[in-house]
Amino acid sequence: MIDGFIALYIFMLAAFVGHEVIGRVPAILHTPLMSGSNFVHGIVLVGAMVALGRADTTLELVIGFIGVFLGAGNAVGGYVVTERMLEMFKSSKEKDK
Amino acid sequence: MSEMISMRSLIEASYFVAAILFIFGLKRMSSPVTARGGIIWAGAGMVVATLVSFLYPDMGNYTLMMTAIFIGGVLAWYSGKKVAMTDMPQMIALYNGMGGGAAAAIAAVELFGGEDHGLVFGTLAVLGGLIGAVSFSGSLVAFAKLQGLMKRNFRFPGQQVFNLLLLAATVVTGGYIVMVHGDINTVVIFFLLALVLGVTMTLPIGGADMPVVISLYNALTGLAVAFEGFVLQNAAMIIAGTVVGAAGSLLTQLMAKAMNRSLANVLFSGFGEEGGEAGEVSGSMKPIEAADVAVMMAFADKVLIVPGYGMAVAQAQHKVWELTQLLRDRGVDVKFAIHPVAGRMPGHMNVLLAEAGVPYDIIYDEDEINPEFPTADVALIIGANDVVNPVARSDPSSPIYGMPILNADYAKNTIVIKRGQGAGFSGIENALFFLDNTRMLYGDGQAMASELINEVKAL
């Protein structure tokens, strides 16, 4: 079980990591990074899958289905958009050399 | 029994690996050299976590699950591949809203399930649901605004009091669900209130502030995912959600700071309302022909180009780069000056210029380029407005007073490519357009850039 102070510690440490990761980023990467972090919270898909997998009533099934649909959209869309953005960064970088 | 335990260990171990891949992926994304690899690392983490989640014991409904993943995935893949680079901001808003909606859906299933989560986890489930639902409907409004589906900034007297009451009502309903174990109707009311709150919070915010709002909702979705992760005891969700929540909060603050405004100011003040009559600008706008501009630039020593959202709308970045190459071939020193909040997101202009093939070493930040304006022969402004408005330096009554700007007015000549005579996105008159050394080149950014190219070639 992840609860009580263990949960708080995980929360605190992860928050520090998030803060550190963004801390010294040049402004030009803000948009791709926002897009990238948008992709990372697409992990919500996993939770939605578990919620749908354990749903019993019709109401739960419907909401669970919507949840998985939305989560998959977040993960896939976030990846495609971020990848497209960063691809251009690389090509211009190489052209530079 | 032991098989189930080892299955659980496999799932936990995979989530651990996924969490590490997410963090290192984000870390790599924060440097231009490794950024491309970063998203692939994070993507690998996502694939591992998703695949292993099919192995959870006592789950069913796999057909439904696969169908939902397939439909959602294909639609997002298609829209993400097809969308133009200029429309990226609203797509990020859309996908982010979907994540918030998914978090709210998890909360809804948990709360509808009628299982007692206890005080702590019940509170987390409700909070995650509230934040997720607000992020969902708020992001959809942001998407609609940026997509041009919703033009007006909807405001009415007492709006903030109304929003506050709405928030209070949502929180009270949520508290009731946690404490008294609400029935299905209460839970439905709770989510409806939260969804309406997201809409009414976002409606009054002007389009120029949208980047900050999208970033805020991005951070909120991360937080909602983390909270639901605690409820589901899912370490990957807790860590990824919290990291995004913290990173997103910081990013939001950086963006608000670049506009010299506090987050509260962005969220709660009707931008530009009080500044309506203040700062009357005198003088007139003086038009110029493309041929004259071409001559000015071709025989200049130094030209600074200031792109803004107008360049994105006109899709002019390729033509602008072509023009730049022509000028550089003639020995003109051409540099791009990028304001941190030019466009609809920080770095928006950099992405577009990179797409067109403009090399890094001629693109400069505000701090680096501002001292160069007095020595520039021509400052060419393409579709930028508020970020070059000298009122921000001089007029304390202006709503954008104090915002750092690009000092394009210090250049020897300033050329403004603009579609019409109207004010900018913020609705503020731009004093720069009325200065003696400013000339207006009226027209669409791409059409004007093409004309300039032809004129320079003809010289």
Side-chain angles (χ1 to χ4, degrees), chain B residues 291-347:
Chain B
D292 300 324
V293 178
V295 173
M296 273 166 100
M297 292 203 298
F299 295 101
D301 287 325
K302 192 197 275 183
V303 172
L304 298 180
I305 300 179
V306 182
Y309 188 60
M311 182 186 81
V313 172
Q315 295 275 8
Q317 62 271 24
H318 299 278
K319 290 288 175 198
V320 169
W321 172 227
E322 202 184 325
L323 175 66
T324 306
Q325 282 170 307
L326 276 176
L327 292 173
R328 273 156 64 100
D329 289 346
R330 297 180 65 100
V332 183
D333 182 15
V334 186
K335 289 174 178 169
F336 285 87
I338 311 286
H339 191 275
V341 294
R344 287 293 171 270
M345 300 207 299

Side-chain angles (χ1 to χ4, degrees), chain A residues 55-66:
Chain A
D56 301 316
T57 64
T58 317
L59 182 67
E60 285 174 25
L61 282 174
V62 170
I63 298 174
F65 184 84
I66 296 174

Side-chain angles (χ1 to χ4, degrees), chain A residues 2 11 15 22 25 28-29 31 37-39 41 46 52-53 55 61 63 70 74 80-81 83-84 86 88-89 96, chain B residues 15 36 46 53 60-61 77 80-81 83 96 98-99 112 218 233-234 242 246-247 345-346 350-351 355 359-360:
Chain A
I2 309 167
F11 190 71
I22 295 279
V25 174
I28 54 160
L29 276 173
T31 296
S37 60
N38 178 35
F39 162 68
H41 68 51
V46 166
L52 174 60
L61 282 174
I63 298 174
L70 292 175
N74 183 181
V80 171
V81 166
E83 210 253 352
R84 274 185 65 191
L86 292 174
M88 294 178 324
F89 270 75
D96 228 17
Chain B
Y15 283 172
R36 179 90 165 73
M46 191 68 75
S53 299
N61 310 323
W77 181 272
K81 282 283 178 198
V83 66
N96 175 56
M98 292 178 91
F112 280 137
N218 185 37
Q233 293 288 303
N234 184 318
T242 311
M345 300 207 299
N350 303 76
V351 172
E355 184 200 15
Y360 261 102

